[in-house]
Amino acid sequence: MKLFVGSTNPVKVNAVRSAVADAWPDVQIEGFSVESGVPEQPYGDEETEQGAINRAHAALERGQKLLESDEPALGIGLEGGVIERGDTLWSTVWVAVTDGSDQIFLANGARFPLHPVIAEPIKNGREMGPLMEELVGEDDIRRKQGMIGIITRNFVTRTEEYIGITKMAIGQWHGRDWHSDLE
């Protein structure tokens, strides 16, 4: 089994690695720089979900070119975005998993409200990563602790934020034939 991640961001690759470590300790994981096909700052569930799906498909396509046999492989896409709930802007994460079949396995979560100092600039067209770097004076936050690490003072990191959602999406693929046990 090989897992191809639609990003080279260590946060996303490490989230996949941690999500499968207990079940598949020897699995090979490779990240690819792929386009999400959505804006740099996905806005709304539809854009964020589509970004995850696009990344999963693109990662699997890139990875399959490297396979030498019919070895099973999954494409995994992780996409962070924002959604509006009333007057409040919230962070959200979507994860998509594909094995190349017609099915796509999705999970969503890590929703929490954004402080106005973050939300207002995003509503006015700013992207979260560069905004956070500017606010705290630190480079490459999205490849490290992420915004969640900043606002929780590293009580939760971006990798930790993504692990459970990634595990849910991959777990749905793993258990995809669960209903056959009922027959």
Side-chain angles (χ1 to χ4, degrees):
M1 168 75 74
K2 292 202 175 166
L3 305 181
F4 301 116
V5 182
S7 177
T8 58
N9 184 327
V11 165
K12 294 179 179 184
V13 174
N14 289 333
V16 172
R17 183 170 284 110
S18 294
V20 302
D22 291 337
W24 305 328
D26 299 323
V27 73
Q28 294 180 353
I29 300 170
E30 185 166 352
F32 295 105
S33 179
V34 299
E35 294 296 321
S36 68
V38 298
E40 287 292 319
Q41 179 58 69
Y43 209 98
D45 274 327
E46 287 183 19
E47 278 186 6
T48 312
E49 177 186 356
Q50 191 61 57
I53 292 168
N54 293 347
R55 287 181 183 278
H57 284 303
L60 184 60
E61 183 179 314
R62 292 268 308 270
Q64 284 178 326
K65 293 176 183 177
L66 303 177
L67 295 176
E68 296 178 12
S69 65
D70 290 337
E71 183 175 11
L74 298 177
I76 303 167
L78 298 87
E79 192 73 26
V82 295
I83 61 165
E84 286 190 38
R85 295 189 66 217
D87 293 337
T88 306
L89 199 62
W90 289 58
S91 179
T92 190
V93 176
W94 280 88
V95 177
V97 174
T98 182
D99 59 8
S101 69
D102 290 339
Q103 278 190 296
I104 191 88
F105 301 88
L106 295 165
N108 171 244
R111 292 182 181 225
F112 57 90
L114 300 178
H115 189 280
V117 75
I118 302 167
E120 291 308 316
I122 291 173
K123 286 180 180 179
N124 290 316
R126 296 288 308 272
E127 182 186 348
M128 187 182 299
L131 171 63
M132 291 305 296
E133 291 170 6
E134 181 182 302
L135 288 173
V136 301
E138 186 177 333
D139 290 334
D140 221 9
I141 289 173
R142 70 182 119 194
R143 296 177 66 85
K144 298 181 212 169
Q145 76 273 36
M147 186 257 310
I148 189 70
I150 299 294
I151 69 169
T152 67
R153 295 189 177 175
N154 288 316
F155 190 81
V156 178
T157 67
R158 190 172 186 215
T159 300
E160 291 169 328
E161 175 186 30
Y162 282 26
I163 291 170
I165 303 160
T166 301
K167 194 167 188 167
M168 282 190 279
I170 294 171
Q172 290 178 71
W173 174 84
H174 181 68
R176 65 195 173 281
D177 296 326
W178 68 270
H179 50 84
S180 64
D181 296 344
L182 303 175
E183 297 167 3

